[in-house]
Amino acid sequence: MKEYSLEKRAAYHLWTFVSSKLIATAGSQIYTFAISLYILHLTGSSMSFAVNMLCNILPRTLVAPFAGSIIDRYPRKHIAITAQTVSTISIGGLLLYSVTIGLSLPAIYTTSCILSITSMFASNAFTSSLTGLVDESRIQKASSMNQIAVSIAQIASPAIGGILFGLVSMSVFLTIFLIASSIAVVLDSTMNFTLFEKEKEKAEQQETVWMSLKAGLVYVKNQPLLVAIICISLIVNFIFTAFNIGFPYVVNTKLHMPSVQFGMVEGAFAVGTLLLSIYLSLGKEFKQPFQVSKIGIIVLGILMAAAAIPIFIPMSAASIFIFYLMLMFLFGSVNILVNIPIMVLMQKKIANEYKGRVFTILETFAMGMMPVGTLIFGVLYDYVPAQWILLIAGSLLIISVFILARPSVMEKAAESGDTVPVTKHRATSV
């Protein structure tokens, strides 16, 4: 009876977890889509749009290095529910503000900062708790279904947002997000985050957050391959902000694409991501993952430069829509070819007890140049023709990867896939 009860509970956790992720992500994506268009339509300035992106990136970047240790030291269920509740309250506050006073950029920016931090804690707390929510036989299934839920939300949300934008007020979008976030809180509270969790070693919990972070930094420093990946991530993320800011700006402000079509174009990215994710999950493991990622980054550079074509060459509205629909589908597909091989490579190279902190450090460094790039390109798009920025950024991306992923670095990646042994003191397992 006990085994049957655990089996039933694990199945409940699986579907509740996926449902919560789908609902919360869909609400967030619809809100993000609408608020981005709202800012562009309100100001017509890429800088204002860039500042909102900065509010989504910078707080997360600053808090990320310490988030992993905090999540490991306190009940993850409490962290996940608290973070989701704070998100709900912040959206409710913005809704009340919009109804009584009216939306303003400072209010939007403040809410974006809060949501950036809370979403990171909620997402990481859930990811870290997956082995406690379901049994080992369901872990791979839960991970796959989680990605499918996110992809479905990313496909449907821009389409819904594009249809609703211009027909309803921003208060409706805020209400949708508020309801979705509230449902997610209720669903999360019904789950037992430690149902299958193994008891942790007490000695490991005595290490301070700073000591844990320092040990991870020392570990990364001693591995040239990880240092190379960090350098590539810094440059790629910096240059890629040119596209993240420029694409919505060009499509909406310069080419005046209808919001419904823009929503479908945004959704094409998620379709490409979903289809290639399914394909890779059924295929064989990459023999040279770093080489695949290098080729993928080169293709992204070409696609980024190609985004400027409709500005150089006069095209009909229908042709522009089809062109960008195909471009974003390819972007989503190639993006998976860049990220998944790198993740596979790091899973092999990083010692298990350091994986949590190293992944957090890599994410922090990868996002470190994005605030700088957001500010720089946000200003440039107001003064420099967008097509030239996209062309130069795409070219720089290709040149950078040829330099940073030169043959000597590629040879290190092709060497033994064994994890590097830990010779330092044993740090907190993440």
Side-chain angles (χ1 to χ4, degrees):
M1 289 298 295
K2 184 178 180 181
E3 290 181 2
Y4 173 77
S5 178
L6 285 174
E7 181 85 6
K8 188 176 180 181
R9 192 65 179 171
Y12 172 79
H13 281 171
L14 176 62
W15 291 105
T16 305
F17 167 72
V18 172
S19 300
S20 174
K21 190 73 171 182
L22 176 61
I23 293 170
T25 303
S28 176
Q29 291 285 331
I30 292 173
Y31 163 78
T32 301
F33 178 89
I35 210 68
S36 298
L37 283 183
Y38 178 82
I39 292 173
L40 284 174
H41 283 232
L42 181 67
T43 65
S45 169
S46 63
M47 185 59 195
S48 298
F49 177 73
V51 171
N52 189 57
M53 284 187 62
L54 188 64
C55 291
N56 282 296
I57 297 169
L58 188 57
R60 187 186 187 104
T61 305
L62 295 174
V63 176
F66 310 98
S69 297
I70 292 173
I71 289 172
D72 281 341
R73 278 167 170 72
Y74 299 97
R76 290 167 179 166
K77 180 176 181 177
H78 294 170
I79 293 174
I81 294 177
T82 300
Q84 193 66 51
T85 301
V86 173
S87 297
T88 306
I89 294 173
S90 64
I91 289 297
L94 185 61
L95 175 60
L96 181 62
Y97 184 89
S98 67
V99 172
T100 56
I101 300 176
L103 274 180
S104 65
L105 290 180
I108 293 173
Y109 294 156
T110 301
T111 304
S112 294
C113 288
I114 296 173
L115 293 176
S116 173
I117 296 173
T118 55
S119 64
M120 179 194 62
F121 272 98
S123 177
N124 288 342
F126 259 115
T127 302
S128 302
S129 303
L130 197 58
T131 54
L133 288 166
V134 298
D135 55 306
E136 292 186 5
S137 63
R138 286 183 171 85
I139 292 176
Q140 182 175 336
K141 185 177 182 180
S143 300
S144 301
M145 292 180 67
N146 175 55
Q147 182 59 54
I148 291 173
V150 171
S151 298
I152 291 174
Q154 290 176 338
I155 293 169
S157 299
I160 296 172
I163 294 172
L164 293 179
F165 193 82
L167 299 178
V168 300
S169 66
M170 278 302 303
S171 297
V172 175
F173 286 100
L174 292 172
T175 302
I176 292 173
F177 191 9
L178 179 64
I179 294 173
S181 185
S182 300
I183 294 174
V185 171
V186 174
L187 291 175
D188 296 349
S189 64
T190 64
M191 291 186 283
N192 181 358
F193 280 50
T194 60
L195 185 63
F196 296 93
E197 190 176 79
K198 297 179 181 180
E199 187 177 353
K200 297 180 181 179
E201 296 180 23
K202 294 181 180 179
E204 293 181 347
Q205 298 299 314
Q206 295 174 359
E207 190 176 46
T208 65
V209 174
W210 176 248
M211 289 172 60
S212 178
L213 176 60
K214 186 178 179 180
L217 288 169
V218 172
Y219 182 83
V220 171
K221 183 181 177 181
N222 292 331
Q223 298 194 58
L225 177 59
L226 292 180
V227 173
I229 291 175
I230 288 176
C231 292
I232 293 173
S233 298
L234 279 170
I235 300 300
V236 169
N237 280 277
F238 171 75
I239 297 176
F240 214 75
T241 52
F243 182 81
N244 291 337
I245 296 172
F247 180 71
Y249 177 71
V250 167
V251 171
N252 289 281
T253 306
K254 298 294 183 182
L255 300 177
H256 306 289
M257 181 179 289
S259 59
V260 175
Q261 291 186 356
F262 180 60
M264 295 175 68
V265 168
E266 289 279 283
F269 180 91
V271 173
T273 300
L274 175 63
L275 293 180
L276 202 67
S277 296
I278 295 174
Y279 173 77
L280 292 181
S281 67
L282 300 175
K284 296 181 180 180
E285 192 174 283
F286 297 107
K287 292 183 179 180
Q288 295 183 325
F290 205 176
Q291 180 68 32
V292 175
S293 291
K294 177 181 178 179
I295 295 172
I297 296 173
I298 293 171
V299 175
L300 287 179
I302 296 172
L303 293 174
M304 186 184 300
I309 291 177
I311 306 177
F312 280 109
I313 303 174
M315 301 171 65
S316 65
S319 298
I320 291 174
F321 170 65
I322 295 173
F323 175 81
Y324 280 126
L325 197 69
M326 296 174 61
L327 184 78
M328 291 303 287
F329 176 83
L330 291 174
F331 251 112
S333 302
V334 178
N335 186 59
I336 290 296
L337 284 178
V338 173
N339 292 327
I340 289 184
I342 286 290
M343 291 299 295
V344 171
L345 179 63
M346 291 192 297
Q347 287 286 354
K348 288 184 175 182
K349 293 288 185 179
I350 303 171
N352 188 57
E353 56 264 48
Y354 278 90
K355 282 182 179 177
R357 278 161 296 166
V358 173
F359 283 139
T360 304
I361 291 169
L362 287 171
E363 179 183 353
T364 303
F365 278 102
M367 296 178 66
M369 290 300 290
M370 291 183 71
V372 179
T374 300
L375 287 174
I376 292 175
F377 289 113
V379 173
L380 284 176
Y381 274 109
D382 283 337
Y383 297 98
V384 180
Q387 60 268 33
W388 293 112
I389 296 178
L390 290 171
L391 278 175
I392 293 172
S395 301
L396 287 175
L397 188 61
I398 296 172
I399 294 171
S400 298
V401 76
F402 273 118
I403 295 173
L404 295 173
R406 54 193 178 276
S408 60
V409 176
M410 300 300 294
E411 288 175 5
K412 292 179 182 178
E415 291 173 358
S416 175
D418 296 335
T419 57
V420 178
V422 182
T423 57
K424 305 283 182 182
H425 67 282
R426 191 162 188 259
T428 305
S429 178
V430 179

